[in-house]
Amino acid sequence: MRIAIFAAAGACVLLAGCGGPQTSQANNAQANISNESRDSNTAAPSNAMVMLAAAPSKDQALKIMHERHEAMEGLGKAMKTLHRELDSSKPDISVIRAQTSTMTSVAAKIPSWFPIGTGPDVGKTRAKAEIWKQQDLFARKTKDYASAAQAIDAAAKSGDVNKVMALHENVDKACKGCHDPFRAPEH
Amino acid sequence: MKQPIWDLPVRLVHWLLAGLIAFSWWSVHNHHTDWHIWSGCAILTLLIFRLLWGFFGSSTARFSTFVRGPKQIEGYFRGQWRGIGHTPLGALSVIALFGALAVQVGLGLISEDEDGLYTGPLYRLVSTDTSDTARDVHELWFNVILGLIALHVAAIVFYRVRGRHLTKAMITGRGVVDPGSEPMRPGKLWVALICLAIGVGVTRWIIAGAPPFGS
């Protein structure tokens, strides 16, 4: 009997675990969409326009997908280097600057990297189809990242390591804020 | 007549590990890498505690009472083993599971995530490339753990079919024992508390970044 109770409790925990995230993600998405519709006027028009532009040919699409993949991987490396540098006892501002500069240059290109027709139906990519289903939300998330990257880059250029440290978390949040809903798992 | 087989620390470690392994898997697949890291640290504490309890705990918790060589394992297959606690064959499963978990925790400690957002507490002791490799192996190694868990559960089902209820004993701590078996000698509470304090202490030290507390 005890085993049955325990098994039932375990099953409930597992089920709760399985159902939980999807439900809450769905709720979040819902909330985000409704937020978005409220202030859709403020969403970056450039992003939306790029998305609505004519779909590229398959070759063009694959080229864009390859370019963005490489750049995102480079951005990951920059983030890791920045993390290590800020964690070290004597952070080197020139190393920090090089990373924040990569962060802003990638941010500037993101809006042109996700035209319609560069999703998982076209080629190997971790970009989820949701990007094109929730374009306004995606545009806002990329804009969040661009602002965070610009702010930390400005702090790095001014040589203020403490400010860079303070702004680091914002960048992390912006990365995660877009990856969680719009990037598929690694494998 | 049911006799004590597993003491409370052994049972707690067992079920907490089961829960934390499931939670670690769930959290990392649901964008909660920070929780995943804390869960790994909790597993580390349990592993250190269990290692110490394997030397200073109750008789059935001690490695010296259950880890046996090939001869005794062979004897067990021929039905020559009598006793309580882990069988000579089950001991292999225990050692493999704890060993695999120790490897997994070790890999996690030096890993960093692909975006440079989250790092294991000891990531600074290795290079970025090593951290990345450790993360990849950490992910693959989970399959080894899953395989061992599958084997563990299959063994329990096998014994259940043959009429032995092992799960119940791991919950209540008591079970039917072979007549003439030496009863379990319980461990001491204060020894358990010291083992736990060492487990927590070493884990805190590692979380702080180990040797001289990071850099």
Side-chain angles (χ1 to χ4, degrees), chain A residues 2 84 87 126 176 183, chain B residues 31 114-115 123 126 172:
Chain A
R2 274 188 205 153
R84 275 176 190 263
D87 249 5
R126 288 169 68 192
K176 199 169 150 49
R183 183 177 67 172
Chain B
H31 313 301
E114 57 170 331
D115 301 325
Y123 87 109
V126 299
T172 62

Side-chain angles (χ1 to χ4, degrees), chain B residues 101-182:
Chain B
L101 282 177
V103 168
Q104 187 70 334
V105 168
L107 288 165
L109 289 177
I110 57 166
S111 291
E112 59 185 329
D113 79 318
E114 57 170 331
D115 301 325
L117 307 183
Y118 300 100
T119 51
L122 300 183
Y123 87 109
R124 283 192 56 77
L125 299 183
V126 299
S127 68
T128 300
D129 285 347
T130 309
S131 274
D132 282 339
T133 309
R135 189 190 73 242
D136 289 341
V137 180
H138 184 74
E139 211 175 321
L140 289 173
W141 192 256
F142 184 60
N143 294 312
V144 173
I145 293 173
L146 278 183
L148 290 170
I149 292 173
L151 204 62
H152 173 64
V153 173
I156 289 160
V157 171
F158 176 77
Y159 281 103
R160 177 79 167 79
V161 170
R162 291 166 54 116
R164 290 201 68 171
H165 299 235
L166 300 180
T167 315
K168 208 167 176 179
M170 191 46 83
I171 296 168
T172 62
R174 302 169 73 85
V176 180
V177 302
D178 293 329
S181 304
E182 204 178 313

Side-chain angles (χ1 to χ4, degrees), chain A residues 13 28 52 61 93 97 102 106 110-111 125 128 143 155 164 181 184:
Chain A
V13 169
N28 284 344
L52 294 171
I93 190 69
R97 251 181 231 142
T102 303
V106 170
I110 288 177
T125 179
K128 282 189 181 174
K143 215 176 146 201
V164 170

Side-chain angles (χ1 to χ4, degrees), chain A residues 9-135:
Chain A
C12 290
V13 169
L14 287 175
L15 284 175
C18 293
Q22 274 94 341
T23 321
S24 67
Q25 262 175 14
N27 289 342
N28 284 344
Q30 207 63 44
N32 284 329
I33 290 165
S34 54
N35 279 342
E36 196 54 43
S37 55
R38 269 203 304 278
D39 52 40
S40 58
N41 292 339
T42 60
S46 59
N47 286 349
M49 270 151 62
V50 167
M51 295 241 196
L52 294 171
S57 70
K58 174 128 190 189
D59 282 353
Q60 282 172 323
L62 292 176
K63 203 175 154 226
I64 293 171
M65 289 159 83
H66 178 72
E67 190 192 339
R68 85 181 173 212
H69 173 82
E70 295 297 309
M72 284 300 197
E73 209 166 70
L75 180 57
K77 280 200 181 119
M79 290 292 291
K80 287 173 192 167
T81 310
L82 178 71
H83 193 136
R84 275 176 190 263
E85 205 54 41
L86 293 177
D87 249 5
S88 75
S89 51
K90 280 186 190 164
D92 181 340
I93 190 69
S94 64
V95 174
I96 291 172
R97 251 181 231 142
Q99 313 319 316
T100 57
S101 156
T102 303
M103 285 153 66
T104 46
S105 60
V106 170
K109 287 184 182 163
I110 288 177
S112 64
W113 271 338
F114 295 90
I116 291 171
T118 60
D121 48 333
V122 176
K124 193 174 172 241
T125 179
R126 288 169 68 192
K128 282 189 181 174
E130 276 72 13
I131 289 177
W132 297 277
K133 286 180 195 152
Q134 303 176 38
Q135 293 191 9

